[in-house]
Amino acid sequence: MLDPIRNVADTLIDTSNYNVHELRAHIQARFGHGEESKRLLISCLSFGFKNGVPLDADMVFDVRFLPNPHFVPEFRKLTGLDPKVAAYVRKFPQTTEFLKRVTNLLLYLLPHYVEEGKSYLTVAFGCTGGQHRSVMMAEEVTAVLKNAGYQVKALHRDTPR
């Protein structure tokens, strides 16, 4: 079935003797563009546990131990993207400590994932509804990792309401 494609191909690679990691290394060495081939796309994903844990998450952090803005009437209809909600969550010492520990862990792990040849990584932060704490945390970690030179984006699975 692939004969028409094979007949016009410039390069043929016999993959019989490669495992997945060796094949990736061979393709990157042959067709990669230097440092670009070692880029890791990181997604910081917020979610609500009440809607289930994301199946594609590589790491999951539960932030339900942080005080919940849902119980503050003025914040209930807002999300962690709102500066007032983010400031509320950020003001607790456990938030600061957690952020420091998680970002240090990620900054330690990410070069190892790059070296292993991983192309993408999904780091998920979950709270009860996925509206406040997890959203703020995903945004904060995204900012730290961007500042460290990583290609990262924040995604919010369960917002807007």
Side-chain angles (χ1 to χ4, degrees), residues 101-161:
R101 289 176 182 254
V102 167
T103 54
N104 284 340
L105 174 64
L106 290 170
L107 291 171
Y108 166 75
L109 291 173
L110 293 176
H112 297 290
Y113 283 127
V114 169
E115 186 62 32
E116 183 61 26
K118 195 162 180 63
S119 300
Y120 53 89
L121 182 76
T122 300
V123 181
F125 297 91
C127 61
T128 306
Q131 299 296 313
H132 301 102
R133 297 166 289 181
S134 62
V135 171
M136 175 270 183
M137 200 59 62
E139 290 289 329
E140 291 280 326
V141 172
T142 294
V144 170
L145 297 180
K146 275 186 184 175
N147 192 45
Y150 286 97
Q151 185 180 358
V152 57
K153 61 182 177 178
L155 302 169
H156 307 295
R157 186 189 76 181
D158 296 332
T159 59
R161 294 176 178 266

Side-chain angles (χ1 to χ4, degrees), residues 22-131:
E22 293 166 337
L23 178 59
R24 176 188 193 84
H26 177 79
I27 290 172
Q28 283 184 337
R30 182 107 186 229
F31 302 106
H33 296 84
E35 282 303 306
E36 286 181 17
S37 67
K38 294 201 114 186
R39 294 296 291 182
L40 173 67
L41 174 60
I42 305 160
S43 298
C44 288
L45 174 67
S46 70
F47 71 96
F49 277 99
K50 73 178 187 178
N51 299 315
V53 177
L55 297 176
D56 59 342
D58 296 296
M59 289 183 214
V60 176
F61 293 99
D62 182 347
V63 296
R64 291 177 289 186
F65 69 93
L66 298 173
N68 193 346
H70 175 78
F71 298 114
V72 177
E74 67 181 284
F75 297 151
R76 184 168 289 192
K77 292 185 179 179
L78 302 174
T79 72
L81 295 172
D82 187 284
K84 292 178 286 193
V85 173
Y88 172 81
V89 176
R90 198 180 297 113
K91 78 178 183 179
F92 297 97
Q94 59 267 41
T95 304
T96 306
E97 182 70 18
F98 179 77
L99 268 169
K100 183 175 92 176
R101 289 176 182 254
V102 167
T103 54
N104 284 340
L105 174 64
L106 290 170
L107 291 171
Y108 166 75
L109 291 173
L110 293 176
H112 297 290
Y113 283 127
V114 169
E115 186 62 32
E116 183 61 26
K118 195 162 180 63
S119 300
Y120 53 89
L121 182 76
T122 300
V123 181
F125 297 91
C127 61
T128 306
Q131 299 296 313

